[in-house]
């Protein structure tokens, strides 16, 4: 049936025979899309007297919001931190490949590098939406160099830095500029970190704590100054101790300013974190869980598949390992929570009316069947 | 009047749905000749709607050439509120069928001029050629739509203040906060429903038993507004056993019919049997 043209000429698509993630539950409900956004069908019916132009039969699939990966260092032979002259094409390649895994938006992550690398790489990539060409780029995640020596992990020691000039100047000097940066991971125990945290937050950049030996008070101060994320919880930080829980203690801290939330990244591959530890974190603070891949260039399997496979396995793993973590919670950990973390949940990470129609169609085992960005199919299994 | 007594809610819902389905199919609506249907809301017709949706899904029934007119809607409640009758109709019926949205009419409780809205609704019904079949329910106090006790039996579509009882009964849908419950509604009048060619009233549950008995065993009385349909040429009351609890045994026996083994064969066939199979013989239903 043709749509009523009273409000808009744009075609309306109705996804039928599906279960959608809405209000934290999987519900047997149709999903309507127009002009790249989720449409309210009741309003369409009563206000516009309109109906669908096209119906897509999902054959019983689950429709979840497209996944958002806020920590991915590269993949498929690409390393985002390599100072090439053409960073864009590397990012584009990865952006395209991760569509197969239901990732519709991501933050290309740069590990600790010398200023020259940041100065060269950052200006080459702008925040941009996704589409057939690949997942959308939400901005860089700069993991380092303002991190702790003791917890550098795989980061190169010689490029670690401190806030010697007092915060803002250090940031600008090191990174060159902060446009197109979505998140910065730093160690809050570094002197003068507070002004850096505030400067970043003022610019709308998410501040994450990681690669740090901060104690709980230092971490809490950073949160009060605006920090809202923990980079790969448990890894590269002091272990939980009952007299000083350290950064991990933020999950249950009572010093978080009202109305604010601390999210935590989790590489739930069963390797970085013991599933039992993962469960403790999830039970303590289920709404803060953010699933990340932290994928790197060279993994045994093609990184993408590891990533996606990892993410999907993680979800399954979460489902299998974490009693009480439902499919819905796992899906939200990969979509809603990262969107909330980045402050973009008004248009991404959910299937609410008005949100961008970035979707992933999954079977019951949570394998990706198809990926959509702004209502357009950008990948389909077997196509 | 026909009184069709089925065993339970499920059976009465199914009978009513088959009846409606048959009427539409027999009418054979088309682009030039729409079937007009009056519709109720509430828990009583829910099962009937479910069945109609099922008939639609199995390909037996299309609403492409059907126009609907709902009985009522609250005043001042946002249309998207989960308790509005617009929401009820969308979620429980319209979104599952193929009706053209332009043909689904519900009174607008947020119109600037409520009286004009009521007037226009009456006009829309006229323009559509009148209602072929008006389906309704009955309140515990015998009201039809929001025509509460005392409503004129020749009333038309208008604004009504809700009875205290109704507001109290509705409170449970508004977090038990009386201040949130709507106090007024727009409703078709008793006269409006009487104008329909045919009327089908659904009544289920023991709490409706008294209302049913007053409606069909006593006189026509504006304190039990459904009683007005005693004066309509073609009215069918569909109910379950529980709704008959206040009726006289004689009334129930008459409509269900008495059956003894030797009378089965050649004497008057049981009325209920006739009614039960009536819906199955018509139309192309499985």
């Amino acid at each position: 049936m043709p749509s009523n043209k009273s409000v808009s000429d744009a075609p309306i698509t109705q996804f039928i025979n599906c279960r959608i993630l809405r209000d934290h539950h999987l519900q047997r409900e149709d999903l309507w899309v127009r002009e790249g956004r989720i449409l309210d069908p009741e309003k369409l019916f009563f206000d516009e007297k309109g109906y669908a132009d096209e119906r897509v039969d999902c054959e019983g699939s689950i429709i979840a919001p497209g996944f958002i990966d806020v920590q991915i260092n590269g993949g498929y032979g690409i390393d985002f931190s390599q100072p090439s002259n053409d960073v864009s094409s590397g990012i584009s390649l990865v952006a395209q490949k991760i569509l197969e895994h239901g990732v519709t938006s991501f933050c290309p992550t740069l590990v600790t590098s010398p200023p020259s690398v940041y100065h060269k790489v950052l200006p080459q990539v702008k925040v941009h939406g996704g589409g057939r060409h690949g997942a959308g780029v939400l901005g860089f995640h700069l993991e380092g160099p303002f991190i702790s020596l003791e917890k550098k992990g795989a980061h190169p020691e010689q490029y670690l830095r401190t806030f010697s000039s007092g915060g803002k100047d250090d940031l600008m000097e090191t990174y060159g500029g902060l446009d197109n940066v979505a998140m910065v991971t730093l160690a809050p125990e570094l002197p003068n970190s507070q002004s850096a945290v505030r400067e970043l937050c003022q610019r709308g950049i998410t501040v994450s704590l990681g690669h740090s030996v901060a104690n709980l008070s230092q971490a809490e101060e950073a949160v009060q100054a605006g920090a809202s994320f923990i980079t790969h919880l448990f890894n590269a930080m002091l272990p939980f101790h009952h007299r000083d829980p350290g950064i991990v203690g933020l999950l249950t801290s009572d010093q978080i300013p009202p109305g604010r939330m601390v999210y935590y990244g989790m590489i739930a591959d069963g390797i970085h974190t013991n599933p039992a530890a993962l469960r403790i974190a999830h039970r303590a603070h289920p709404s803060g869980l953010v699933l990340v891949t932290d994928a790197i260039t060279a993994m045994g399997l093609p990184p993408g598949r590891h990533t996606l496979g990892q993410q999907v396995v993680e979800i399954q793993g979460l489902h299998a390992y974490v009693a009480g973590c439902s499919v819905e919670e796992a899906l939200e950990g990969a979509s809603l929570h990262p969107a909330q973390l980045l402050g973009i949940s008004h248009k991404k990470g959910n299937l609410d009316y008005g949100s961008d129609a970035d979707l992933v169609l999954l079977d019951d085992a949570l394998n990706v069947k198809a990926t959509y960005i702004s209502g357009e199919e950008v990948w389909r299994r077997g196509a | 009047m026909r009184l069709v007594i089925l065993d339970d809610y499920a059976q009465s819902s199914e009978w009513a749905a088959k009846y409606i389905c048959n009427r539409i199919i027999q009418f054979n609506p088309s682009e030039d000749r729409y079937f007009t249907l009056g519709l109720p809301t509430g828990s009583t017709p829910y099962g009937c709607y479910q069945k109609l949706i099922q008939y639609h899904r199995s390909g037996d029934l299309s609403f492409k050439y059907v126009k609907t007119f709902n009985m009522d809607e609250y005043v001042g409640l946002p249309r998207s509120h989960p308790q509005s009758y617009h929401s009820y109709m969308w979620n429980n019926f319209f979104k599952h069928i193929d009706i053209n949205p332009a043909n689904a009419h519900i009174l607008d409780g947020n119109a600037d001029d409520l009286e004009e809205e009521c007037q226009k609704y009456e006009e829309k019904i006229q323009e559509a050629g009148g209602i072929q079949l008006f389906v309704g329910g009955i309140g515990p106090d015998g009201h039809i739509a929001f025509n509460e006790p005392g409503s004129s039996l020749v009333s038309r579509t208008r604004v009504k203040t809700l009875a205290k009882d109704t507001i109290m009964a509705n409170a449970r849908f508004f977090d038990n906060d009386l201040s949130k419950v709507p106090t007024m509604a727009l409703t078709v009048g008793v006269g409006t429903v009487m104008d329909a060619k045919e009327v089908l009233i659904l009544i289920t549950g023991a709490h409706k038993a008294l209302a049913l008995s007053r409606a069909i065993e006593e006189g026509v009385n504006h304190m039990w507004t459904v009683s007005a349909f005693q004066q309509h040429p073609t009215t069918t009351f569909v109910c379950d056993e529980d709704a008959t609890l206040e009726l006289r045994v004689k009334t129930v026996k008459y409509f269900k019919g008495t059956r003894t083994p030797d009378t089965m064969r050649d004497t008057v066939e049981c009325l209920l049997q006739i009614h039960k199979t009536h819906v199955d013989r018509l139309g192309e239903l499985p």
Side-chain angles (χ1 to χ4, degrees):
Chain A
M1 284 192 283
S3 73
N4 181 289
K5 309 288 184 199
S6 66
V7 165
S8 162
D9 272 340
I12 296 169
T13 308
Q14 181 186 3
F15 292 84
I16 62 172
N17 288 332
C18 50
R19 287 162 287 153
I20 69 174
L21 181 63
R22 188 172 277 162
D23 296 330
H24 314 293
H25 285 115
L26 282 176
Q27 315 182 4
R28 180 50 215 87
E29 197 68 71
D30 293 348
L31 188 74
W32 296 65
V33 175
R34 176 167 67 184
E35 288 175 305
R37 299 226 186 93
I38 314 278
L39 183 65
D40 180 347
E42 193 180 338
K43 265 189 102 172
L44 176 71
F45 187 89
F46 288 124
D47 286 346
E48 296 181 47
K49 317 273 184 233
Y51 31 83
D53 292 278
E54 189 202 344
R55 284 205 174 85
V56 175
D57 188 343
C58 300
E59 295 163 347
S61 307
I62 291 172
I63 301 187
F67 300 142
I68 301 174
D69 193 354
V70 302
Q71 186 164 11
I72 167 172
N73 306 289
Y76 304 94
I78 307 291
D79 179 357
F80 297 145
S81 305
Q82 279 306 305
S84 92
N85 283 321
D86 185 12
V87 183
S88 288
S89 49
I91 287 190
S92 297
L93 182 85
V94 175
Q96 170 111 72
K97 288 296 199 173
I98 57 181
L99 291 178
E100 292 168 30
H101 303 288
V103 179
T104 52
S105 305
F106 70 112
C107 296
T109 307
L110 302 186
V111 297
T112 295
S113 308
S116 55
V117 170
Y118 297 119
H119 290 227
K120 186 169 184 144
V121 170
L122 258 48
Q124 291 187 46
V125 180
K126 308 263 177 283
V127 171
H128 62 263
R132 274 190 200 280
H133 51 273
V137 171
L138 298 170
F140 283 100
H141 173 177
L142 304 177
E143 194 186 357
F146 302 100
I147 57 175
S148 145
L149 178 61
E150 295 100 312
K151 291 292 180 187
K152 62 178 167 58
H155 291 225
E157 182 176 333
Q158 65 270 39
Y159 298 124
L160 299 186
R161 290 172 75 99
T162 57
F163 297 110
S164 42
S165 315
K168 177 178 175 182
D169 293 334
D170 291 292
L171 294 170
M172 297 311 278
E173 209 187 296
T174 305
Y175 298 132
L178 289 168
D179 298 333
N180 302 299
V181 173
M183 190 174 341
V184 171
T185 294
L186 49 78
E189 73 275 16
L190 295 178
N192 298 327
S193 71
Q194 290 243 345
S195 63
V197 172
R198 266 188 229 106
E199 174 66 30
L200 291 166
C201 291
Q202 251 167 36
R203 288 165 178 261
I205 296 174
T206 304
V207 174
S208 182
L209 308 180
H211 289 276
S212 157
V213 294
N215 58 36
L216 183 55
S217 318
Q218 288 164 330
E220 282 165 344
E221 272 165 28
V223 170
Q224 277 152 8
S228 55
F229 194 47
I230 302 172
T231 299
H232 45 58
L233 185 75
F234 295 128
N235 300 111
M237 57 186 63
L238 292 177
F240 176 90
H241 186 283
H242 58 283
R243 275 194 292 277
D244 188 346
I247 291 176
V248 179
L250 287 176
L251 264 57
T252 47
S253 164
D254 58 0
Q255 299 300 311
I256 314 289
R260 296 259 322 274
M261 173 108 98
V262 175
Y263 295 87
Y264 54 98
M266 193 68 94
I267 311 171
D269 57 359
I271 300 165
H272 284 82
T273 316
N274 184 296
L278 198 158
R279 273 196 288 281
I280 288 178
H282 179 258
R283 280 188 212 174
H285 186 30
S287 45
L289 172 70
V290 170
L291 291 173
V292 301
T293 60
D294 205 11
I296 63 167
T297 323
M299 281 291 210
L301 299 167
R305 199 180 314 157
H306 183 124
T307 302
L308 265 80
Q310 199 179 41
Q311 195 162 36
V312 174
V313 162
E314 274 158 44
I315 291 173
Q316 279 184 312
L318 267 177
H319 189 64
Y321 292 141
V322 186
C325 174
S326 58
V327 167
E328 291 91 338
E329 284 173 318
L331 290 173
E332 288 190 339
S335 58
L336 177 64
H337 297 167
Q340 287 169 333
L341 166 68
L342 296 175
I344 55 175
S345 57
H346 55 284
K347 54 182 179 123
K348 292 218 187 287
N350 54 64
L351 298 178
D352 298 344
Y353 302 138
S355 287
D356 292 347
D358 294 348
L359 320 167
V360 53
L361 267 64
L362 305 157
D363 62 22
D364 284 343
L366 298 181
N367 297 308
V368 178
K369 290 167 78 169
T371 308
Y372 285 75
I373 291 184
S374 293
E376 193 194 343
E377 184 184 281
V378 294
W379 185 80
R380 173 167 290 271
R381 183 160 44 163
Chain B
M1 176 201 79
R2 275 187 298 196
L3 179 63
V4 181
I5 305 167
L6 283 313
D7 292 343
D8 54 28
Y9 179 76
Q11 279 191 19
S12 44
S13 299
E14 186 172 16
W15 195 97
K18 279 184 179 173
Y19 190 85
I20 296 167
C21 183
N22 284 342
R23 276 283 172 269
I24 296 172
I25 291 171
Q26 277 175 333
F27 186 86
N28 196 16
S30 64
E31 179 97 27
D32 319 300
R33 200 170 150 260
Y34 277 74
F35 186 90
T36 46
L37 191 58
L39 293 176
T41 52
S43 50
T44 306
Y46 178 78
C48 179
Y49 284 128
Q50 292 284 295
K51 277 293 180 190
L52 287 172
I53 292 166
Q54 189 189 312
Y55 300 152
H56 170 69
R57 285 209 180 118
S58 60
D60 292 318
L61 179 61
S62 166
F63 290 88
K64 190 160 175 219
Y65 297 119
V66 174
K67 288 186 180 169
T68 63
F69 289 88
N70 266 69
M71 294 185 132
D72 42 20
E73 175 60 284
Y74 290 115
V75 168
L77 197 61
R79 206 223 42 232
S80 54
H81 191 285
Q83 290 302 322
S84 82
Y85 289 167
H86 280 80
S87 290
Y88 178 99
M89 291 307 296
W90 167 254
N91 285 308
N92 296 321
F93 197 47
F94 294 144
K95 82 176 175 195
H96 305 281
I97 59 172
D98 62 343
I99 190 168
N100 183 329
N103 292 332
H105 302 279
I106 308 182
L107 284 155
D108 178 6
N110 292 301
D112 292 324
D113 186 341
L114 294 173
E115 278 177 28
E116 189 186 38
E117 170 68 13
C118 294
Q119 178 60 31
K120 291 217 297 242
Y121 203 68
E122 288 275 341
E123 280 163 22
K124 277 187 209 151
I125 294 175
Q126 293 285 42
E127 277 157 23
I131 309 266
Q132 296 292 332
L133 173 62
F134 218 126
V135 183
I138 184 176
D141 58 3
H143 72 240
I144 178 149
F146 274 123
N147 294 289
E148 315 266 62
S151 294
S152 158
L153 298 180
V154 293
S155 50
R156 311 302 306 183
T157 305
R158 66 213 187 287
V159 186
K160 280 288 281 181
T161 309
L162 302 182
K164 186 81 190 289
D165 279 351
T166 307
I167 295 175
M168 300 290 282
N170 284 345
R172 69 185 196 273
F173 299 123
F174 294 88
D175 303 319
N176 282 314
D177 181 354
L178 286 177
S179 66
K180 288 197 183 129
V181 186
T183 54
M184 297 204 297
L186 302 183
T187 179
V188 293
V190 182
T192 317
V193 184
M194 283 287 286
D195 279 352
K197 276 190 93 170
E198 196 177 346
V199 178
L200 180 71
I201 309 277
L202 309 181
I203 308 171
T204 54
H207 57 304
K208 302 286 174 81
L210 188 66
L212 178 60
S213 73
R214 293 286 182 274
I216 67 174
E217 288 181 335
E218 313 272 307
V220 173
N221 188 308
H222 65 173
M223 297 312 280
W224 302 92
T225 50
V226 179
S227 63
F229 295 94
Q230 291 178 25
Q231 299 204 292
H232 188 287
T234 320
T235 297
T236 307
F237 284 84
V238 185
C239 61
D240 61 0
E241 285 285 345
D242 285 348
T244 64
L245 288 173
E246 292 284 347
L247 293 177
R248 294 195 193 96
V249 174
K250 185 170 166 182
T251 310
V252 176
K253 282 198 170 181
Y254 173 70
F255 285 101
K256 277 184 129 175
T258 47
R259 256 193 280 175
T260 53
D262 35 298
T263 57
M264 259 307 271
R265 256 168 317 164
D266 34 48
T267 49
V268 176
E269 220 189 310
C270 153
L271 257 181
L272 184 59
Q273 267 312 105
I274 295 174
H275 289 152
K276 268 186 167 165
T277 53
H278 173 77
V279 284
D280 287 327
R281 258 184 245 131
L282 300 168
E284 297 98 31
L285 285 170

